[in-house]
Amino acid sequence: MDQELRALTERLRKESGGADPFGPLTATGDPEVLAAVLTAPGQPLWARELAAFRLGGAGDRRAFESLVLLLNHRDPARCASAATALARLADPRTARAAAALATNELRVAYALHPVRLLVALRAPESVPALITALERRLTPGDPYRAVALACVEGLGELADPRARPVLRAARARPALTGAAQRALELTR
């Protein structure tokens, strides 16, 4: 987590412009101080992200709601940091939330990190959600190729035979052919 925290801290240091609360938020070891940032009105997004990431990495479930909101953010860097913290948090609600985000057609442009999180969690919700998300990405003209590829690769990694029909269908998409074939070989 140290490398991820360093990268997050550097990104947020730039975003905050060196604002006064940045230093204390990076230095504090007090979870109450961090949790207060999540509930206090008027806190900047960078402060909430830093507090949620640090709490989530420490296994403090008060960060769950904030991390789920960040997992569905339009900024891929925020989604990635939230996914990292949620994977470490080990909250039993995480897989359900990630599955809901991965299969939400209104937010499909932001589904890449929830899909990857589902693979990392290896939860009972993972395979059904990835199958659903991939089926939707196989429609002609679908622009979310990265999400489709993440689903294919994730289903291969999870090696669940229930994915075989959708992986066979994915082979028909030129951008997915090779990955779908490799995933099929892993699901035998």
Side-chain angles (χ1 to χ4, degrees):
M1 182 72 103
D2 290 337
Q3 184 177 353
E4 290 92 351
L5 180 58
R6 276 193 300 277
L8 173 74
T9 302
E10 185 55 36
R11 177 173 58 82
L12 296 181
R13 182 183 325 278
K14 292 175 187 172
E15 185 178 327
S16 73
D20 285 340
F22 184 79
L25 279 179
T26 60
T28 188
D30 186 350
E32 297 308 316
V33 170
L34 295 170
V37 171
L38 299 180
T39 57
Q43 293 294 316
L45 184 57
W46 64 261
R48 292 183 192 280
E49 181 180 2
L50 180 57
F53 185 89
R54 293 197 59 216
L55 285 171
D60 191 320
R61 292 188 177 167
R62 291 178 288 183
F64 177 77
E65 288 84 5
S66 295
L67 290 170
V68 169
L69 288 172
L70 290 165
L71 182 64
N72 195 32
H73 197 273
R74 68 181 175 271
D75 180 355
R78 291 196 199 290
C79 298
S81 70
T84 298
L86 281 165
R88 303 257 167 88
L89 182 59
D91 188 299
R93 301 171 290 176
T94 301
R96 222 169 328 131
L101 293 174
T103 59
N104 182 343
E105 280 301 292
L106 297 176
R107 302 291 291 174
V108 69
Y110 313 114
L112 182 61
H113 291 284
V115 164
R116 290 179 176 162
L117 179 57
L118 283 167
V119 176
L121 293 174
R122 297 181 171 276
E125 296 90 344
S126 297
V127 171
L130 294 178
I131 289 171
T132 298
L134 180 56
E135 285 172 341
R136 294 174 180 168
R137 303 290 57 87
L138 297 180
T139 59
D142 185 85
Y144 304 106
R145 186 177 306 162
V147 174
L149 183 58
C151 289
V152 168
E153 291 171 345
L155 288 168
E157 188 175 325
L158 295 173
D160 190 307
R162 293 177 292 174
R164 292 186 62 72
V166 73
L167 290 171
R168 280 191 212 100
R171 284 189 307 193
R173 301 282 179 228
L176 302 174
T177 302
Q181 185 57 45
R182 287 187 295 279
L184 275 167
E185 291 167 7
L186 294 170
T187 61
R188 292 178 191 234

